[in-house]
Amino acid sequence: MGPSETGKSTLLRCLNYLTVPTKGIVEIGGVRVDAENHSKKDVIELRKHASMVFQGYNLFKNKTALQNVMEALTQVQKKSKAEAEKISLSLLVKVGMLERKDFYPSKLSRGQQQRVGIARALAVNPSVLLFDEPTSALDPELVGEVLNTIKSLAEEGTTMILVTHEIGFAREVATRILFMDDGRVAADGTPEEIIDHPKNERIRQFLNFVRN
């Protein structure tokens, strides 16, 4: 959490090298990459363990919901079409989108597109899901369906890192919160420490602003 333009999305993108960090070490799923000394192969291995869910869905417009989820399984993991379809159908069930499996993105609501995006990210069985403000592009009435999907994943034990301004949701779902300000991690603690009883005046100002 944190104000706009403080580096939250940049930090998230650095975790799977969509933005290349200049210094530091990223370690996910036992894969360790040093920003100052790494190979292209290292980055490819790292990305196998972290899937990004974008603000703008980024679905293939010429593919159905099912085909969008299958894509990485067939093209990257080289699974058979039958196996990829079986896995993809189970994931569409998980995100409540099975009945829309044959719909193209243009026929899906923004919330439905985002849920397909979550299923697609889950398809490669990552160690961690990265969410960059997954509800910011949604109309208010669609926010709940996406947050409920993320909440159900949390309840199943899925490891996720979210950039979000949904304070109530963060309070309910998060086990750990980082508060970023001016490009740095200004506070690191539990929801109780960061949201319920913030000691940092900057956090109190931020919470008052987003709640009003």
Side-chain angles (χ1 to χ4, degrees):
M1 299 192 316
S4 298
E5 307 300 325
T6 56
K8 303 184 301 296
S9 294
T10 300
L11 175 60
L12 200 69
R13 290 172 65 86
C14 283
L15 295 179
N16 68 348
Y17 274 67
L18 288 175
T19 295
V20 179
T22 55
K23 190 174 183 179
I25 293 171
V26 176
E27 184 172 352
I28 301 174
V31 177
R32 183 181 175 94
V33 180
D34 188 332
E36 296 180 282
N37 182 26
H38 66 272
S39 66
K40 185 176 181 179
K41 182 180 178 181
D42 294 333
V43 173
I44 291 172
E45 286 300 311
L46 182 73
R47 286 177 175 165
K48 291 179 181 178
H49 294 272
S51 286
M52 176 80 84
V53 178
F54 299 92
Q55 293 180 24
Y57 332 124
N58 288 13
L59 298 180
F60 295 110
K61 292 180 173 55
N62 63 335
K63 295 182 183 295
T64 64
L66 177 60
Q67 291 169 339
N68 263 281
V69 180
M70 289 175 59
E71 184 73 7
L73 293 170
T74 56
Q75 299 301 314
V76 179
Q77 296 194 345
K78 306 301 182 184
K79 294 185 182 297
S80 68
K81 184 177 179 180
E83 184 180 5
E85 182 172 331
K86 181 179 179 181
I87 293 170
S88 298
L89 289 172
S90 69
L91 292 172
L92 288 172
V93 170
K94 186 187 290 276
V95 300
M97 286 297 296
L98 183 61
E99 293 182 358
R100 298 287 189 272
K101 66 182 177 67
D102 295 321
F103 284 52
Y104 288 90
S106 62
K107 299 300 182 182
L108 300 173
S109 72
R110 290 181 177 182
Q112 290 170 339
Q113 289 182 58
Q114 189 62 293
R115 285 190 280 159
V116 173
I118 292 171
R120 182 179 61 181
L122 285 167
V124 295
N125 195 28
S127 299
V128 60
L129 280 179
L130 309 174
F131 288 87
D132 188 6
E133 296 193 53
T135 60
S136 65
L138 301 180
D139 296 327
E141 64 268 23
L142 300 177
V143 169
E145 66 183 65
V146 173
L147 293 183
N148 285 337
T149 298
I150 297 172
K151 182 181 177 181
S152 68
L153 294 176
E155 290 171 346
E156 292 175 5
T158 304
T159 300
M160 296 175 283
I161 301 175
L162 292 89
V163 173
T164 184
H165 290 298
E166 301 286 344
I167 304 303
F169 178 73
R171 173 67 185 81
E172 182 180 4
V173 174
T175 54
R176 178 182 178 188
I177 294 177
L178 301 182
F179 181 82
M180 292 190 66
D181 189 33
D182 196 26
R184 297 178 178 276
V185 176
D188 176 1
T190 65
E192 293 83 358
E193 292 168 334
I194 302 297
I195 296 176
D196 296 345
H197 308 290
K199 297 178 181 178
N200 186 309
E201 177 59 27
R202 184 68 185 91
I203 299 177
R204 288 196 288 268
Q205 291 174 354
F206 171 77
L207 292 174
N208 287 335
F209 176 78
V210 296
R211 284 168 171 165
N212 293 330

